[in-house]
Amino acid sequence: MESKPNILVICGPTASGKTALAAALAQRLGGEVVSADSMQVYRRMDIGTAKPTPDETRGIPHHMIDVADPEENYSVARYVQDAVPIVDGILARGKLPIVAGGTGLYIDHLVAGRQFAPFEADSGLREHLQNRAAEEGLPALRTELEHIDPAAAVRIHPNDEKRTIRALEVFLSTGKTITQHDAESRALPNRYAPLTIALNFQERSWLWERIDRRVDEMMERGLEREVRELLASGVSPSCTAMQAIGYKELSAAISAGRPVSKGAEEVKLRSRQYAKRQLTWFRRNREAHWYNWEKIPNFSAALALSTKLVSECGLQ
C-alpha cells in the first residue's frame, strides 16, 4: 500500500506561540508554512488577525495568507480546495509542509482532504433558496428539509438559515442528501498523516495574560484605524470577515459611538472564550503531542524538543 505523505501540524489556542515555533521549525527543517487560520485568509486585515510580520516569517514562505477580499464569504470547503495543491506542491519539492494555526476545523478537513458537495456559484440556486426563506419564512424550508433529509434536520439548528439552505442546495444540486455526502466523505482515508504538536500554557492565567497583552499591542499598533479603514472602504459589518474577534467588537463600538477602549476590553473577553473552545477542540486529538509553556515561553527548548520529535517520527 502506498504510504501517505507526512506533514507537521502546529496548533493551539490564540496567542500560544504557534507562528514563532512554526517559522523556527521551518527554518531548521527546510519546510514551508501553510496557515490554518480562518481570518488570516483576508486581505487588509493584518493587525487583528495577528498575521506574521516579515521579521516573524524569517524569510520562510507562508501560504494561505491574504488569499481573499474581506467582502468574500470564505469557507472551509474553499480552504481545502486552495490548500491541498499547496501542501502537495511543498511535498513534491521535497520540503516539509508545516500547517500552523488555530482553526481546528480547517486543520481537520485539510488533513482528511475532505471532498465537499459541488456548488456552482452562478447557478442561482442559493439565491433562489435565500429568496424563498425571506418570502416564505425559514420554517417552510425546514419542513422541506425534514422530508428530504431528516438526519440533517435534526442536526441543524432550526434557526440556522445558512446551513439549512446549504443542505437543500446539496440535495437539489446533486441528488444526494448532505448526510449521505458527509458519510461518503468520512469513509475515505485521510489524505495526510500528520504529526501534531499542540501548544498551551501550564497555567491558564498565563495564557489569559498573554491574550490581554496581545490585544493591548494590537490597539497600540492601530487596530482601531484598521477597522475604520475597512468600514470606510465599504466592507459591511455583517460580512463573515468582520465577524472575526477584534473587528466585530470594535466596529460595533465605532458604530454606536462608544469608546473603543470598551470594545477592546470585550475583545479580550471574547478572545479568552475562543481560546477555551480551541483547547476543547484540540484536546479531542489523542495523538497530539502537547507542549506546555512556562509563564515565559522558552522557544529554544520547544524548538529542540519539537525537532527531536520530528526526527523520531520519521519526518526528517
Side-chain angles (χ1 to χ4, degrees):
M1 180 182 295
E2 185 179 352
S3 61
K4 299 175 184 176
N6 286 320
I7 64 172
L8 177 61
V9 173
I10 307 294
C11 64
T14 185
S16 60
K18 300 180 295 294
T19 296
L21 182 59
L25 283 168
Q27 190 174 48
R28 174 171 290 190
L29 302 173
E32 297 183 18
V33 178
V34 180
S35 171
D37 186 300
S38 62
M39 292 301 160
Q40 288 187 356
V41 299
Y42 292 110
R43 303 180 187 98
R44 302 178 1 242
M45 298 176 66
D46 303 330
I47 299 172
T49 63
K51 284 178 190 169
T53 65
D55 286 342
E56 289 171 332
T57 63
R58 300 189 177 204
I60 301 296
H62 280 59
H63 306 275
M64 294 307 297
I65 293 176
D66 291 338
V67 296
D69 290 323
E71 297 85 354
E72 297 181 62
N73 185 18
Y74 206 85
S75 66
V76 63
R78 184 172 164 188
Y79 175 80
V80 173
Q81 177 182 318
D82 293 346
V84 163
I86 290 173
V87 173
D88 288 348
I90 295 171
L91 288 165
R93 294 194 295 276
K95 296 196 171 186
L96 176 64
I98 302 178
V99 177
T103 305
L105 183 68
Y106 278 26
I107 293 172
D108 289 356
H109 279 76
L110 176 58
V111 167
R114 285 277 183 262
Q115 299 295 314
F116 291 85
F119 166 60
E120 297 180 12
D122 58 354
S123 70
L125 179 56
R126 181 173 295 180
E127 184 178 1
H128 169 70
L129 290 168
Q130 290 171 337
N131 290 338
R132 281 190 56 197
E135 296 170 5
E136 303 173 30
L138 184 57
L141 271 66
R142 292 286 309 179
T143 299
E144 190 171 327
L145 180 61
E146 288 167 3
H147 176 71
I148 291 170
D149 189 354
V154 170
R155 190 170 62 251
I156 298 172
H157 191 279
N159 295 331
D160 193 335
E161 179 177 316
K162 181 178 179 180
R163 293 181 66 203
T164 297
I165 287 176
R166 176 58 176 157
L168 289 172
E169 178 186 51
V170 168
F171 177 76
L172 294 172
S173 297
T174 68
K176 293 182 180 180
T177 66
I178 197 167
T179 298
Q180 180 182 354
H181 182 85
D182 289 347
E184 291 174 352
S185 295
R186 286 193 298 271
L188 297 172
N190 283 349
R191 186 180 187 93
Y192 306 110
L195 164 61
T196 301
I197 298 174
L199 303 178
N200 195 14
F201 282 81
Q202 292 183 19
E203 299 290 339
R204 180 162 288 187
S205 62
W206 298 344
L207 176 61
W208 288 179
E209 290 176 15
R210 192 172 172 91
I211 288 172
D212 289 352
R213 186 163 61 250
R214 171 181 273 192
V215 174
D216 289 339
E217 290 171 355
M218 287 177 174
M219 295 300 294
E220 291 171 4
R221 290 177 55 203
L223 179 56
E224 178 187 354
R225 181 184 67 252
E226 186 170 82
V227 173
R228 288 185 181 276
E229 289 175 352
L230 287 165
L231 294 172
S233 71
V235 177
S236 170
S238 63
C239 71
T240 300
M242 293 298 282
Q243 300 310 300
I245 296 173
Y247 298 89
K248 181 177 182 178
E249 295 76 17
L250 288 195
S251 65
I254 291 169
S255 299
R258 293 188 288 111
V260 292
S261 59
K262 297 294 185 182
E265 290 304 309
E266 189 174 356
V267 173
K268 294 177 181 179
L269 173 61
R270 300 304 177 200
S271 297
R272 293 193 292 269
Q273 292 171 338
Y274 178 51
K276 289 181 182 179
R277 295 195 300 272
Q278 289 174 299
L279 285 167
T280 298
W281 185 289
F282 293 127
R283 282 172 177 153
R284 298 184 310 174
N285 182 358
R286 297 183 179 181
E287 297 181 358
H289 300 265
W290 285 87
Y291 187 90
N292 293 308
W293 302 109
E294 298 283 349
K295 185 172 185 178
I296 299 177
N298 185 335
F299 278 95
S300 295
L303 180 60
L305 287 172
S306 299
T307 303
K308 182 173 181 288
L309 186 59
V310 166
S311 178
E312 290 173 348
C313 292
L315 275 179
Q316 285 287 304

